[in-house]
Amino acid sequence: MDQVMRDNVTEYPSTINVLKRFNLFPEVVVGAFFRAFTAVSDQLKIRTKECWTVNRGNGLPPVLSCEGIGDPMYFYVHSVFFLHGILMALVFLLGSFISQSVWGGLLSVLCFFYNHGEATRVQWTPPLRESFSFPLHTLQMLVVTLALSVSRPGRSFVCWIALTTIMFMLPWQFAQFSLATQTLSLIACYMLKAIDSTKFKAILYGQVIGLAVSFVLLFGNLMLLTSLFSCVLVGAFVIVFAEPVLNKLNQIVQWIVQGILLVLSIVGVKKLVGLVLGVADDAHIFDILRSKFGDYRNFHTMLYTCAKEFDFLELETYGKLSKSLLLPLVALVVLVISAEIMRSLVARLRGQSTTKKEDEQAETSELTEQAPVIYHLFQLAAYTVMAVAIMRLKLFWTPQLCVMASLICSKKYFGWLHARCFSKAVLVLVIAAAMSIGGWQNLKEQFAIFGEYSNVPLEQLVEWVNTNTPREAVFAGSMPTMANLKLSTERAIVNHPHYEDEGLRARTMEVYSVFSRKPVSEVHAKLKAMGVQFVIIEDNWCRSRPSPGCGMADIWDVEDPANRHRKTSACVEMAEKPEPYFRRVFKNQAYDVFAIVVDPMAPPPQQAPPQQKQETPPPPPQQKQETVLPQQKQETPPPQQKQETPPPQQKQETPQQTVPPQQKQQATPPQQTVPPQQKQETPPPQQKQQPPPPPQTPPPQQKQETPPPQQKQQPPPPQQKQETPQETLPPQQKQQTPPLQQKQVTPPPQQNQQTPPPPQQKQPPPA
């Protein structure tokens, strides 16, 4: 828990509370249950999983695969599916209650199954926050519906509403928007006098308690205080406490005043609290709405609106819901109920105008009896607007359609239809049979989906990161890739998909500058300032354009018009020539990994000073070579001794002028790891140092076996004693000089270099 509450890896270098930021209470609860389950099963020696090795072929390594509830992933997914099994029970109870018929509950469940692909995403992405929260949302709606059906809800209802509100809000940061629509729907019921102020206050108290407790449990998450939900609650209390004054007004005028008070309260509280607390975490939501219904655009709104999930509701959804007859059935229900409510409302207004108090009370009583249905009707209207504007939010709309479909079994609204069909059962069976034509086709499409998840490029990337980077490495890249990398490698990342935080939005924008048309140097400066060590670029993010104006470079053009004239984006330039700001360290068919060069402008030959220091010690070991002739048992490399080497030494007797350059190379031998070329610059003083022959310890010679130029320094002394030492030359294998001589056919300094160009030898040491 300490690591969860003090995490400096997920948003490096910041330390965050993960429970506060990501609403991870479901994972904490599931983790606690898993530990208890494994402890009990191990104690009882119950086998809970089976594992085997899968050979995948195609050059891929084998993997260990496990099945069973004892596996952490299976336990996690089964927990989510268990919650959605409870969701089906809640849908049945809700449909049965508002329709006052068990057949209505059965019809709601049938509609949910026939439209499962449009009602939830749990089958594709179980870890989504909505997968945990939506079943609890349905439970909270059921409790509110029960409270609306009671004449005077007591403290028990307040507690239940508070508890279910807490359970709904803790797993999901978007719960506040759904609760805001719920409160607005209740305000509409109150304005129509379908519920009185006592009942309305009881529900509001439960919601306020739930909001306050959630704020505490989420460690003071300020986003809850500035949320639309909290602002709507303030507006609701303003309207309720102004009731004594507003009741003196005409009903039409009263509605106008209540609407004005509500809007002013919401806008005023939102602005005031935002300014006082300095929080704008949910500002992007309102920017998205502005971009949906206007010409407003910025980097963040375009990231959302260019994604399919945040586009307007597609026509295909209307077609699927119509084929299963859900949409036509609910349209019929809404028309009938709306007509009934309008009739009661008009009758009450007429009673008011004619001062017939008895008629007014009778119609008010009739509206009060319909309060649960009226609430769900307004809730459906709110969810319809949300789904049409943002396709992802159809997960609220479709289940609400299924609940409303149950009202076809309501005796109050469709008793006339039941009489013609002999009974509710016959009517439900006829509707179910008609729905099955399109609904069964939807189910077959769901059942036909088979397969397994395989992403070899991502697997290769993860394996490379695990084996070739330190645990402290810091990565940046696209939000989905960073989430996978954090999960699979536990490396530090600087951005991730939780876009509800204002600071993270700014940070992600900085990282995504790699997809802009900015100069590579500017991108490098931004990433370096964030502490990034490796940046991962996906080719499809860099070059693709899902729709006109939705390429990453196009999105950046909105924010960075100054660089719009540039033809290529920074990521393309990095892929073609990463130097000197980046260095490519990994590449496969989908991903490029670039290391951030800390100081791209630093000159590479920084090794010159140490080389000069190394030139001073070489003379002593060189002279020791004469005494240590037997130590270099280099008779083993006969190819080097191809005593073709002595002839050139004899030639050295006459042309001693040629010997000095060799001796210049000999001055370099002690620099075993340093290229001999640079040492050649200082050899003249070394030649003067060669005359003194004081012997010293021989060990450096053995190290000098790799740099043959050391032994070339010895030829000058043997040249002075050329008559006698010529026989000793072969054992000394100063004739390691021969390999130099053979390599001296090319420029002598290149002898130690496996790659001829001299500057290349300078590069390996700094690396």
Side-chain angles (χ1 to χ4, degrees), residues 289-353:
L289 296 178
R290 289 173 60 189
S291 67
K292 285 283 186 180
F293 304 102
D295 58 354
Y296 177 80
R297 293 190 305 168
N298 63 14
F299 177 83
H300 306 295
T301 60
M302 292 192 68
L303 278 184
Y304 277 100
T305 55
C306 284
K308 182 180 179 182
E309 295 82 358
F310 292 90
D311 200 355
F312 289 101
L313 189 64
E314 56 188 4
L315 296 177
E316 182 183 1
T317 301
Y318 298 107
K320 289 183 177 180
L321 296 178
S322 299
K323 288 180 181 178
S324 63
L325 297 184
L326 176 61
L327 206 56
L329 180 62
V330 174
L332 174 63
V333 169
V334 170
L335 287 175
V336 172
I337 294 176
S338 299
E340 181 66 21
I341 294 173
M342 289 298 297
R343 185 193 62 77
S344 301
L345 187 60
V346 170
R348 183 166 65 85
L349 292 176
R350 286 179 178 177
Q352 245 185 2
S353 60

Side-chain angles (χ1 to χ4, degrees), residues 478-499:
S478 65
M479 291 184 285
T481 302
M482 290 300 98
N484 287 323
L485 198 71
K486 168 66 171 58
L487 175 65
S488 303
T489 68
E490 297 184 354
R491 299 301 193 270
I493 58 176
V494 298
N495 63 314
H496 50 76
H498 192 268
Y499 216 64

Side-chain angles (χ1 to χ4, degrees), residues 352-368:
Q352 245 185 2
S353 60
T354 58
T355 65
K356 295 180 179 179
K357 298 296 182 182
E358 295 181 357
D359 294 342
E360 180 183 351
Q361 293 176 356
E363 296 302 333
T364 301
S365 167
E366 187 175 354
L367 286 175
T368 303

Side-chain angles (χ1 to χ4, degrees), residues 66-84:
C66 296
E67 282 188 356
I69 197 171
D71 182 74
M73 295 300 103
Y74 271 83
F75 190 90
Y76 182 85
V77 173
H78 278 68
S79 300
V80 177
F81 288 168
F82 174 76
L83 276 177
H84 279 257

Side-chain angles (χ1 to χ4, degrees), residues 661-673:
Q662 293 177 348
Q663 293 176 350
K664 292 179 182 180
Q665 295 175 350
Q666 293 168 356
T668 59
Q671 300 174 349
Q672 297 173 351
T673 59

Side-chain angles (χ1 to χ4, degrees), residues 346-644:
V346 170
R348 183 166 65 85
L349 292 176
R350 286 179 178 177
Q352 245 185 2
S353 60
T354 58
T355 65
K356 295 180 179 179
K357 298 296 182 182
E358 295 181 357
D359 294 342
E360 180 183 351
Q361 293 176 356
E363 296 302 333
T364 301
S365 167
E366 187 175 354
L367 286 175
T368 303
E369 293 177 357
Q370 302 179 62
V373 176
I374 296 174
Y375 158 67
H376 280 278
L377 183 63
F378 283 117
Q379 191 71 75
L380 176 63
Y383 287 160
T384 301
V385 174
M386 292 167 58
V388 171
I390 300 176
M391 183 181 67
R392 180 180 179 181
L393 300 182
K394 67 182 179 181
L395 69 96
F396 288 106
W397 183 52
T398 306
Q400 187 66 19
L401 288 175
C402 298
V403 171
M404 292 297 292
S406 65
L407 289 172
I408 195 69
C409 299
S410 173
K411 183 177 181 180
K412 178 177 180 59
Y413 300 107
F414 293 95
W416 54 274
L417 185 60
H418 301 164
R420 294 185 180 183
C421 296
F422 304 105
S423 67
K424 295 180 184 179
V426 175
L427 176 63
V428 170
L429 291 176
V430 171
I431 294 175
M435 282 185 169
S436 299
I437 299 174
W440 181 247
Q441 183 64 31
N442 292 340
L443 285 178
K444 286 174 65 177
E445 293 179 2
Q446 295 286 316
F447 294 149
I449 299 174
F450 289 96
E452 60 183 8
Y453 177 78
S454 178
N455 191 338
V456 175
L458 179 59
E459 181 181 342
Q460 293 172 346
L461 173 65
V462 169
E463 183 65 24
W464 181 87
V465 171
N466 281 327
T467 56
N468 293 277
T469 62
R471 299 280 299 180
E472 300 79 15
V474 183
F475 286 82
S478 65
M479 291 184 285
T481 302
M482 290 300 98
N484 287 323
L485 198 71
K486 168 66 171 58
L487 175 65
S488 303
T489 68
E490 297 184 354
R491 299 301 193 270
I493 58 176
V494 298
N495 63 314
H496 50 76
H498 192 268
Y499 216 64
E500 282 72 19
D501 181 72
E502 182 183 14
L504 185 67
R505 290 198 296 271
R507 180 181 294 218
T508 300
M509 186 174 176
E510 295 291 316
V511 173
Y512 279 20
S513 63
V514 298
F515 304 116
S516 69
R517 305 185 197 274
K518 294 180 180 293
V520 176
S521 58
E522 185 175 343
V523 174
H524 172 269
K526 290 178 179 292
L527 296 176
K528 181 182 174 182
M530 298 174 66
V532 177
Q533 298 175 356
F534 299 91
V535 58
I536 300 176
I537 296 180
E538 299 168 67
D539 186 68
N540 60 338
W541 279 66
C542 180
R543 302 176 187 272
S544 65
R545 180 176 293 177
S547 59
C550 284
M552 290 303 301
D554 301 330
I555 294 175
W556 255 106
D557 287 344
V558 176
E559 293 284 345
D560 188 27
N563 290 303
R564 192 179 299 174
H565 64 280
R566 295 172 60 89
K567 299 299 182 182
T568 58
S569 57
C571 58
V572 175
E573 294 181 6
M574 291 169 57
E576 295 175 353
K577 185 182 178 182
E579 295 80 9
Y581 300 99
F582 298 91
R583 180 167 51 88
R584 180 183 279 112
V585 292
F586 174 81
K587 178 177 176 59
N588 64 10
Q589 60 183 358
Y591 300 94
D592 275 327
V593 182
F594 297 93
I596 309 296
V597 177
V598 178
D599 191 1
M601 297 294 104
Q606 296 179 352
Q607 301 172 348
Q611 289 176 352
Q612 293 176 353
K613 293 178 181 179
Q614 291 177 350
E615 289 173 357
T616 55
Q622 289 175 351
Q623 293 175 351
K624 293 174 183 179
Q625 290 176 350
E626 296 178 355
T627 58
V628 187
L629 297 174
Q631 290 179 351
Q632 294 179 346
K633 296 179 181 180
Q634 294 176 348
E635 298 173 357
T636 56
Q640 295 178 349
Q641 292 179 356
K642 293 179 180 179
Q643 298 168 351
E644 299 171 1

